[in-house]
Amino acid sequence: MNRPSRLKMAAIHAGLTLLCMATLYPVLWVVKMALSPTDGLALTANPFPETVTLEHFRQVLSGTDAAGRWVFGRQLLASIVVAGATTLVGLTLAVSAAYALSRFRFPGKEGGMQALLVTQMFPATLMMVPIYSILQKLHLLDSLTGLVLVYATTALPFCIWNLKGYFDTLPRELEEAAVMDGASTFQVFVRVVLPLARPALAVTALFSFMTAWNEFILAATLLNDPSRFTLPVALQRFVGEHKVEWGKFAAGALIVSAPVMALFFALQKHLVGGLTAGGVKG
């Protein structure tokens, strides 16, 4: 490698290093606030704590309500139930709808796909009033079931389009060969298509899980019982009208982020294929 090429590579690596440092700096600030013994917001450029303590994490994890119940455990369970149920419901509906849109011809197919795409132009908060009214009439306000239905509905359009794009890349010859061997349409779908679509299923499941796990506005509006709060809503109690408990807020934010980061690491081998293959025609 000649000298200009080495200089070019050095400049690229230096630029990427600076970019990574700029990206990680806010994260290090959150870690600093979570590990610092004070609850205030230190106005220093140093992103590393001078004194390390786990007191904020202990207070967040051991928090109780007025009745002495372990409120963080109940809120963690609520988040897991909502995110897991949203992923299960959304993925089940999306995978069947996406396969039908990819493989079958029927009246209204193109119009239905366009309608799904149009729904992504509007934020979920725009539908807050009708959603609230519908859940009230169904007696599902302040319930995890109603929240799961709302989350699964709002996540469906993206999930269907993502899975349809991936199903379009799968060769039809494999399904035709399975039919020739005597497999039914359902058996082809379960034994041939779904195993091949694991990367797209991983991406779709992760998106549905993240949507439910991180969402705040709808959960804060539709839930009133603190024991049913999801973790993002629970973090709001550290932000008061006159005071913000920055240490506990940062510790809670890191705890809330941990499951999503763990899922990213667990599913990372499927993510690239699932995100890119849907945009390539086979």
Side-chain angles (χ1 to χ4, degrees):
M1 183 180 294
N2 54 31
R3 184 178 179 82
S5 298
R6 288 197 298 268
L7 291 175
K8 182 179 179 180
M9 291 301 299
I12 291 174
H13 284 112
L16 291 175
T17 301
L18 291 175
L19 182 61
C20 288
M21 292 175 61
T23 304
L24 291 176
Y25 186 78
V27 179
L28 292 175
W29 252 86
V30 175
V31 175
K32 174 186 177 179
M33 288 189 293
L35 296 177
S36 297
T38 61
D39 238 347
L41 185 62
L43 300 178
T44 61
N46 181 17
F48 301 101
E50 297 178 1
T51 305
V52 176
T53 178
L54 299 178
E55 181 62 21
H56 295 313
F57 289 94
R58 187 194 66 78
Q59 292 178 1
V60 171
L61 293 173
S62 61
T64 57
D65 58 12
R69 297 176 299 181
W70 184 35
V71 66
F72 178 83
R74 297 171 70 90
Q75 292 164 347
L76 175 62
L77 179 61
S79 287
I80 293 174
V81 169
V82 169
T86 299
T87 303
L88 181 62
V89 173
L91 197 61
T92 301
L93 296 176
V95 74
S96 55
Y99 184 72
L101 291 170
S102 174
R103 289 296 188 261
F104 304 120
R105 296 181 180 275
F106 52 87
K109 172 182 173 180
E110 295 298 327
M113 293 176 59
Q114 295 290 339
L116 288 173
L117 195 59
V118 168
T119 60
Q120 296 298 283
M121 298 171 58
F122 306 101
T125 52
L126 190 65
M127 300 180 290
M128 185 75 73
V129 174
I131 286 175
Y132 192 94
S133 177
I134 291 172
L135 292 182
Q136 187 176 40
K137 291 181 178 179
L138 295 175
H139 304 288
L140 291 177
L141 277 179
D142 198 21
S143 72
L144 300 184
T145 302
L147 196 61
V148 168
L149 292 177
V150 173
Y151 285 166
T153 302
T154 55
L156 266 179
F158 170 84
C159 296
I160 292 174
W161 268 94
N162 185 58
L163 286 172
K164 180 194 177 297
Y166 195 90
F167 287 149
D168 288 343
T169 66
L170 300 179
R172 295 174 180 264
E173 289 78 8
L174 295 176
E175 300 170 51
E176 293 170 357
V179 172
M180 293 293 293
D181 290 337
S184 64
T185 303
F186 180 76
Q187 289 174 326
V188 170
F189 177 63
V190 173
R191 298 183 180 180
V192 178
V193 176
L194 290 186
L196 293 174
R198 277 180 294 184
L201 293 176
V203 172
T204 305
L206 183 60
F207 172 81
S208 298
F209 186 89
M210 288 177 56
T211 299
W213 186 267
N214 295 326
E215 203 280 328
F216 169 78
I217 296 177
L218 288 172
T221 304
L222 301 177
L223 298 177
N224 296 316
D225 185 353
S227 64
R228 294 193 179 101
F229 284 172
T230 55
L231 290 178
V233 180
L235 290 180
Q236 187 186 25
R237 75 178 189 270
F238 300 123
V239 181
E241 184 177 354
H242 304 290
K243 179 184 176 182
V244 179
E245 299 177 276
W246 289 109
K248 299 183 185 65
F249 187 85
L254 292 176
I255 294 171
V256 172
S257 303
V260 175
M261 292 188 292
L263 279 176
F264 263 106
F265 281 113
L267 301 175
Q268 60 181 334
K269 67 178 182 179
H270 298 299
L271 294 181
V272 175
L275 286 170
T276 58
V280 181
K281 291 290 183 180

